[in-house]
């Protein structure tokens, strides 16, 4: 897939990044683009390019005119939607105050992949990172920028795939702008919607289950609807499952659901303040969803440690018949 420099700058904010990525285009797959993006961002873009990318972001909870395109402005708005939906006037003001303190200390805005994070979660992370030495925080910010860039590249790929599909079906009447499609698909990739936030348990401070997922069918450029998802926890006699051993009978079902029209699974576990530490496995019935695909099913195993039990774990899946990409979202 061919990507132009303007689209790529919207994904990152760095002119150097956009130029280098455009020179490397076209990309054979989303994974190819992501691998190239990581290499360029960490090994080619210099400090000035990093700062340029940081400066393209508004402070979380505050609008900005720094955006280099309408597309990046729409993406930022979608990525901050959960934070704004869960904010109170006092928490929003506290966030703005801490943002100002952070920028005064480090010289750039507090950067975090905010997609799906509530205001309180962002505040916790900001306060945790504030004592860092500048050199350490600069590296962390660059890592967070890469997460945002990867998310936006996935949105861009999905939007272009959808536009190409629509053009194949209606080559004469296709009139919707590509950037509109990007914002629509981008909304599907937001880790938590306002509707999900509305399902808050009265006895919990959380607004969603500790573990969530969201599946996008990159080949079609739309959410993957009707995909069965199962969440399990390791409860075997051994402390952890073995790569070489027999793990039959050690996994305990936590929840089962199918993805809805937005590609989001239903509630796979209860909304609790602290998730039980341990090893979890989330599985996707890809063989049923795409019978002609390469993967009969996909299982992802991950560990939640005791120090992470208050965090949220979002496991998005970017799926096509012959490849998939995942990462720990927020």
């Amino acid at each position: 897939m061919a990507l132009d420099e303007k689209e790529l700058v919207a994904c990152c904010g760095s002119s150097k990044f956009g130029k280098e990525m455009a020179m490397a285009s076209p990309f054979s797959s989303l994974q190819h683009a992501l691998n190239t993006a990581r290499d360029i961002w960490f090994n080619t873009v210099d400090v000035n390019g990093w700062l340029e990318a940081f400066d393209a972001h508004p402070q979380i909870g505050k609008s900005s005119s720094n955006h280099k395109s309408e597309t990046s402005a729409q993406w930022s708005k979608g990525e901050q939607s959960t934070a704004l939906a869960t904010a109170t006037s006092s928490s929003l003001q506290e966030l703005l105050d801490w943002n100002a303190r952070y920028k005064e200390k480090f010289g750039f805005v507090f950067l975090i992949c905010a997609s799906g994070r509530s205001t309180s979660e962002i505040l916790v992370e900001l306060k945790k990172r504030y004592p860092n030495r500048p050199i350490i925080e600069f590296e962390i910010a660059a890592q967070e920028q890469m997460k945002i860039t990867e998310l936006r590249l996935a949105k861009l790929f999905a939007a272009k795939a959808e536009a190409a599909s629509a053009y194949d079906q209606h080559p004469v009447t296709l009139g919707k702008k590509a950037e509109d499609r990007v914002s629509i698909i981008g909304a599907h990739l937001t880790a938590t919607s306002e509707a999900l936030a509305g399902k808050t348990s009265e006895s919990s401070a959380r607004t969603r289950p500790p573990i969530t997922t969201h599946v996008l069918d990159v080949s079609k450029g739309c959410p993957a609807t009707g995909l069965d998802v199962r969440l399990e926890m390791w409860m075997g006699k051994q402390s952890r499952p073995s790569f070489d051993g027999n793990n039959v009978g050690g996994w305990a079902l936590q929840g089962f659901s199918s993805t809805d029209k937005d590609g989001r699974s239903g509630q796979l576990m209860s909304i609790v303040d602290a998730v039980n530490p341990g090893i979890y496995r989330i599985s996707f019935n890809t063989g049923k969803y795409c019978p002609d695909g390469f993967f009969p099913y996909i299982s992802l195993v991950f560990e939640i440690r005791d120090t992470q039990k208050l965090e949220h774990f979002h496991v998005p899946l970017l799926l096509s018949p012959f490849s998939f990409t995942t990462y720990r979202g927020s």
Side-chain angles (χ1 to χ4, degrees), residues 137-211:
E137 187 57 26
F138 193 54
E139 177 67 24
I140 293 174
Q143 296 282 355
E144 291 296 319
Q145 173 62 60
M146 191 67 250
K147 292 178 186 178
I148 297 168
T149 301
E150 290 175 342
L151 188 64
R152 292 181 176 185
L153 280 171
K155 296 174 186 177
L156 184 58
F157 259 71
K160 280 183 166 285
E162 186 194 22
S165 175
Y167 185 81
D168 289 341
Q169 297 174 27
H170 306 286
V172 177
T173 59
L174 181 65
K176 195 166 184 65
K177 291 182 178 179
E179 287 198 353
D180 292 336
R181 295 184 182 280
V182 169
S183 65
I184 291 170
I185 296 297
H188 288 300
L189 279 169
T190 302
T192 305
S193 64
E194 291 184 21
L196 182 60
K199 297 179 181 179
T200 307
S201 168
E202 292 181 0
S203 60
S204 173
R206 288 187 186 267
T207 60
R208 54 190 167 166
I211 301 173

Side-chain angles (χ1 to χ4, degrees), residues 25-53:
S25 178
F27 302 102
S28 60
S29 65
L30 173 60
Q31 190 61 54
H32 179 201
L34 294 177
N35 290 341
T36 304
R38 293 187 193 106
D39 180 59
I40 289 174
W41 176 247
F42 290 112
N43 299 315
T44 304
V45 178
D46 59 17
V47 169
N48 291 326
W50 283 14
L51 290 172
E52 181 188 14

Side-chain angles (χ1 to χ4, degrees), residues 77-242:
K77 183 177 179 181
E79 290 154 5
Q80 294 191 27
S81 61
T82 300
L84 295 177
T86 58
T88 63
S89 57
S90 59
S91 66
L92 185 59
Q93 185 58 53
E94 185 179 9
L95 180 60
L96 293 174
D97 292 344
W98 272 95
N99 267 321
R101 292 177 62 183
Y102 179 97
K103 188 171 184 179
E104 183 178 0
K105 177 178 179 179
F106 296 107
F108 49 85
V109 298
F110 174 69
L111 205 61
I112 188 171
C113 187
S115 184
R117 288 182 183 261
S118 67
T119 300
S120 59
E121 289 174 312
I122 292 172
L123 267 170
V124 168
E125 188 66 19
L126 197 164
K127 292 175 182 178
K128 183 171 74 174
R129 285 167 49 184
Y130 182 79
N132 286 339
R133 294 166 55 202
I135 188 65
I136 300 299
E137 187 57 26
F138 193 54
E139 177 67 24
I140 293 174
Q143 296 282 355
E144 291 296 319
Q145 173 62 60
M146 191 67 250
K147 292 178 186 178
I148 297 168
T149 301
E150 290 175 342
L151 188 64
R152 292 181 176 185
L153 280 171
K155 296 174 186 177
L156 184 58
F157 259 71
K160 280 183 166 285
E162 186 194 22
S165 175
Y167 185 81
D168 289 341
Q169 297 174 27
H170 306 286
V172 177
T173 59
L174 181 65
K176 195 166 184 65
K177 291 182 178 179
E179 287 198 353
D180 292 336
R181 295 184 182 280
V182 169
S183 65
I184 291 170
I185 296 297
H188 288 300
L189 279 169
T190 302
T192 305
S193 64
E194 291 184 21
L196 182 60
K199 297 179 181 179
T200 307
S201 168
E202 292 181 0
S203 60
S204 173
R206 288 187 186 267
T207 60
R208 54 190 167 166
I211 301 173
T212 57
T213 188
H214 183 200
V215 187
L216 180 70
D217 188 329
V218 178
S219 67
K220 298 178 180 178
C222 65
T225 302
L227 176 61
D228 295 337
V229 183
R230 182 175 67 242
L231 179 67
E232 301 163 290
M233 184 179 182
W234 176 252
M235 302 290 284
K237 294 180 180 179
Q238 298 174 321
S239 61
R240 58 200 304 114
S242 168

